[in-house]
Amino acid sequence: MIHRMFARSALTRAGVAAFATVLVAGFSVPAGGAELVIGTGSLYGVYYQVGRAMCRLIERSASDVNCTAVPTAGSLFNLDGVRKGALEIGVVQADWQYHAIMDSGPFASSGGSYRDLRALFSVHGEPFTLVARRDAGIGSLADLAGKRVNIGNPGSGQRATMEVVMTAMGWRKRDFTLAEELPASQQSFALCHKKVDAIVYVAGHPNESIRRATELCDSAIVEVSGPAIDTLVAEHPFYSYMVVPGGLYPGNPDPVRTFGVRATVVASAGLEADLVYRVVKAVFGNLDHFRRLSPAFGDLDAKQMLREGITAPLHEGAAQYFREVGLM
């Protein structure tokens, strides 16, 4: 077991830490059983809740499957982990699923190495969320220029989406007084300790890190709109206008307009079809229970989860389940 974990190994130092977390937790795979490792994101983010909720339902319905959700650096890390076999399943932003399968964006030089990527289903919407201290003088996206901004850690979907926004706005790192690269788990404290003026998330709501930022210091969720955002939404099938609901966070009673993507669940075509079938059945066969496992999942709709954000081909095991229940 331990030999197998290190043989397929994590992809970076962050990955080693994530898989070490699995080992420290300690588990055993039932004789003849299957092992699933799901790559998620920050411990404080909704991706981790997705992974844990999936594992809870999978192990409840399939006693011979050991499922573990591990924190990772995020979408790009998870895509690489699935491709290299370090992860069986990954939670990724819909836009990076699209770019991976299309050999575009950050995957333009991948040479088709993600052609075996397969989609299982999508989950919650993920608004691009800009949070700023009220004393920083940031009332719009355009106000970020010249400020100290955490643009996200390399390898995260948050960072990749921020780079898309920066390109759309004509910005480079040098256009900020400081372009910090903290992971999501650290940026709320950096904001409230005045190390940075603004932070960004691509995350489902409610989000624990955003709650911390708005509780610990006087912070506002800032509207993300304008011609550059309109162009992004018009030109890319994986973006849509979204709203961060009002009243979720202290001091932010009103809904805020922005744009965003959906979170999606992916695997490799090489993952056994029967196992994927059982994973999908565990979630969709218990969808009411799944919705109750996080406030971010409350509005999930089965047809929407099959349709929105899915650009990679469906895994054959997922397609089999959806055909059986009449969703395809």
Side-chain angles (χ1 to χ4, degrees), residues 161 164-165 168 227-240 259:
T161 304
V164 168
V165 171
I229 301 303
D230 291 338
T231 299
L232 281 180
V233 173
E235 293 183 349
H236 299 89
F238 40 78
Y239 290 141
S240 60
F259 78 108

Side-chain angles (χ1 to χ4, degrees), residues 212-271:
R212 287 185 176 192
T214 53
E215 255 185 9
L216 294 175
C217 56
D218 190 15
S219 301
I221 299 173
V222 179
E223 182 172 305
V224 178
S225 61
I229 301 303
D230 291 338
T231 299
L232 281 180
V233 173
E235 293 183 349
H236 299 89
F238 40 78
Y239 290 141
S240 60
Y241 295 109
M242 293 187 179
V243 172
V244 179
L248 291 181
Y249 306 106
N252 289 268
D254 300 319
V256 178
R257 292 190 302 159
T258 182
F259 78 108
V261 296
R262 295 193 77 82
T264 67
V265 179
V266 301
S268 167
L271 189 61

Side-chain angles (χ1 to χ4, degrees), residues 11-12 39-41 47 72-84 87 90-101 104-108 114 117 153-164 266:
L11 308 174
T12 66
T40 63
Y47 278 22
T72 71
S75 294
L76 302 188
F77 181 95
N78 294 342
L79 284 165
D80 204 31
V82 167
R83 179 176 68 89
K84 292 183 175 178
L87 301 168
V91 186
V92 305
Q93 288 178 204
D95 47 350
W96 306 123
Q97 179 193 136
Y98 173 88
H99 285 304
I101 205 71
S104 58
F107 305 96
Y114 289 87
L117 185 68
N153 57 292
S156 67
Q158 166 191 334
R159 169 62 173 272
T161 304
M162 183 57 180
E163 289 176 346
V164 168
V266 301

Side-chain angles (χ1 to χ4, degrees), residues 27 47 49 72 80 82 84 109 112-113 177 204 237-238 283 286 288 295-296 299-300 305 316:
F27 58 82
Y47 278 22
Q49 295 177 33
T72 71
D80 204 31
V82 167
K84 292 183 175 178
S109 61
S113 59
T177 300
F238 40 78
V283 173
N286 299 279
D288 285 341
D299 295 328
L300 290 179
M305 294 168 72
E316 60 177 314

Side-chain angles (χ1 to χ4, degrees), residues 101-170:
I101 205 71
M102 297 297 291
D103 291 337
S104 58
F107 305 96
S109 61
S110 65
S113 59
Y114 289 87
R115 63 173 61 94
D116 288 335
L117 185 68
R118 296 292 183 268
L120 275 59
F121 51 85
S122 68
V123 272
H124 58 282
E126 299 189 289
F128 179 88
T129 308
L130 171 60
V131 184
R133 280 195 332 279
R134 293 187 197 273
D135 63 9
I138 299 172
S140 68
L141 177 64
D143 291 336
L144 288 184
K147 302 294 186 179
R148 298 172 301 162
V149 182
N150 186 57
I151 62 175
N153 57 292
S156 67
Q158 166 191 334
R159 169 62 173 272
T161 304
M162 183 57 180
E163 289 176 346
V164 168
V165 171
M166 289 167 61
T167 298
M169 296 294 290

